[in-house]
Amino acid sequence: MTDEPDTHDLSSELRASVIRLARRLRAEKADDGLTDGQTTVLGVLAVRGAQTLSQLGEIERVTLPSMNRTVNALVAAGYVDRHPSTDDRRKVLLALSANGTDIVRETRRRRDEWLCGRLETLTPAQRSSLSEAAAVLQGLAES
């Protein structure tokens, strides 16, 4: 008999745990008025730089009307600016404003602070296990 966990059981347990952890981390944001989708778009713009509406829709796998509503709310809040493309004046690029950059930084800081506080309560062996698991989870996410 093996001590290896059943793949189906592990899948269910891991899925539920990752979802609960992600939900808890999402709660740590700098502007509670932002939806999860709006916060995600700010993060995408912070990582990838200026994008078109179509590019954002493809990245987030949402329809253009849905992404347009999200972006319009972010522009109205002062977190995103619209700029004409230097390559094609017909295209509009969406980029973080200074306020948007501040919101992204503060949200990341809050999330890191929350998680760091929880990790500090773990034993060194538990933190070591999570360090190994983080690499495995990253590989799964990229597959």
Side-chain angles (χ1 to χ4, degrees):
M1 186 166 220
T2 178
D3 288 338
E4 185 175 318
D6 174 71
T7 305
H8 181 72
D9 292 342
L10 177 59
S11 171
S12 294
E13 291 173 21
L14 186 58
R15 177 189 43 75
S17 297
V18 168
I19 288 170
R20 282 193 304 270
L21 180 59
R23 185 178 298 130
R24 182 59 188 89
L25 283 168
R26 280 193 308 270
E28 296 296 322
K29 55 187 170 185
D31 182 341
D32 289 332
L34 292 175
T35 66
D36 290 342
Q38 291 167 344
T39 303
T40 299
V41 167
L42 292 177
V44 168
L45 293 174
V47 170
R48 296 186 179 207
Q51 302 286 309
T52 65
L53 190 66
S54 295
Q55 288 170 319
L56 286 172
E58 287 175 20
I59 292 166
E60 290 303 303
R61 296 183 177 148
V62 298
T63 65
L64 285 180
S66 177
M67 184 53 67
N68 194 44
R69 284 189 298 275
T70 298
V71 167
N72 285 341
L74 292 170
V75 169
Y79 296 145
V80 170
D81 293 327
R82 290 184 171 102
H83 303 283
S85 170
T86 56
D87 298 340
D88 182 347
R89 301 296 278 176
R90 296 171 295 174
K91 286 186 182 179
V92 174
L93 293 176
L94 304 158
L96 287 180
S97 67
N99 287 339
T101 299
D102 290 344
I103 286 293
V104 170
R105 282 188 188 133
E106 178 61 14
T107 296
R108 286 178 179 163
R109 187 198 65 74
R110 288 179 184 203
R111 289 174 176 176
D112 287 344
E113 183 178 290
W114 180 85
L115 189 54
C116 185
R118 299 323 174 272
L119 293 173
E120 287 173 349
T121 67
L122 302 178
T123 66
Q126 288 172 319
R127 285 194 298 271
S128 179
S129 292
L130 281 177
S131 179
E132 292 174 20
V136 174
L137 290 171
Q138 184 66 36
L140 286 174
E142 293 172 356
S143 65

